[in-house]
Amino acid sequence: WYQRRVRVQINTFIEMSFRGRGRGRGGGGRQYDEGPPESVVKIGKLMNLCEGDLVLRADNEMVPYFNAPIYLENKQQIGKIDEIFGPINEYMMSVKLLPNMTADSFKRKQPFYINPMKLLPMSRFLPKPPAPKGPKVKRVGGAGGSFRGRGGRGGGRGRGGGRGRGGGRGGGRGRGGGGFRGRR
């Protein structure tokens, strides 16, 4: 009886622990064979072989998705992108071959192709330019009305003190910090 009760409590805890958070991680996206794409674009040329994988040097300005299928010119799939590495302006990628393929069957500088829908623009990986500077807006108060700019509820009244939650050096319980940040 006791074991059954504990098991029920554990199961209840597990169910409740993910409530409101989308039931854990991952999208549950199933991998399925999409078939050959309508069109393919050149992604790169074979540079080298490494432990049964192909190493391609990119010829395309766009960056492929991880696990994106790689094709020959006739749209026959040969493998999937495993890793992307190297400098951002001349990156390389390794291709994990399908089980029925061997790396020795490809020639050096042979072109390989990818579905254009599996490419991202390079701008997604570059730092964004700084925002234009405008007039500074001075905020008065801050979170919870503290005058030091820190501490949520109940903080910001000097050393400790204050009403309600917070205050003190430890910050009290609950949300918001105490607001005490040492002597100035």
Side-chain angles (χ1 to χ4, degrees):
W1 174 79
Y2 179 73
Q3 288 178 339
R4 199 166 125 214
R5 183 172 169 203
V6 169
R7 194 174 304 130
V8 169
Q9 286 178 341
I10 291 173
N11 288 342
T12 307
F13 172 74
I14 291 171
E15 288 175 18
M16 291 178 69
S17 65
F18 292 111
R19 193 170 287 160
R21 283 199 260 160
R23 289 269 183 208
R25 290 187 146 169
R30 292 181 178 80
Q31 299 237 339
Y32 60 94
D33 185 18
E34 299 172 5
E38 292 179 19
S39 65
V40 289
V41 294
K42 187 175 172 190
I43 187 65
K45 293 180 185 170
L46 178 61
M47 194 173 103
N48 231 329
L49 306 176
C50 179
E51 297 180 4
D53 290 354
L54 305 178
V55 177
L56 307 181
R57 169 164 270 148
D59 288 347
N60 201 314
E61 288 294 314
M62 299 181 84
V63 181
Y65 285 31
F66 286 104
N67 293 323
I70 297 295
Y71 302 95
L72 295 174
E73 193 171 12
N74 63 3
K75 298 182 186 175
Q76 176 192 0
Q77 184 177 346
I78 57 133
K80 292 186 173 194
I81 291 184
D82 188 36
E83 291 183 52
I84 299 171
F85 53 92
I88 198 160
N89 55 354
E90 51 184 54
Y91 66 91
M92 292 168 264
M93 63 203 99
S94 66
V95 175
K96 183 75 78 182
L97 294 173
L98 295 177
N100 60 349
M101 298 280 177
T102 58
D104 300 331
S105 60
F106 301 106
K107 294 181 222 136
R108 216 176 145 102
K109 297 197 176 180
Q110 179 178 347
F112 291 92
Y113 299 84
I114 191 169
N115 182 351
M117 300 303 289
K118 299 286 185 177
L119 293 171
L120 292 168
M122 183 67 78
S123 61
R124 292 271 303 262
F125 304 96
L126 298 173
K128 292 185 174 138
K133 294 189 178 189
K136 276 196 170 185
V137 178
K138 189 172 183 180
R139 285 200 304 173
V140 179
S146 77
F147 60 90
R148 291 192 181 183
R150 283 269 176 145
R153 292 181 162 172
R157 294 184 180 263
R159 198 174 223 194
R163 285 191 245 142
R165 294 179 168 170
R169 290 184 183 212
R173 293 177 174 248
R175 284 181 256 168
F180 175 73
R181 292 177 46 195
R183 287 192 183 155
R184 291 198 178 205

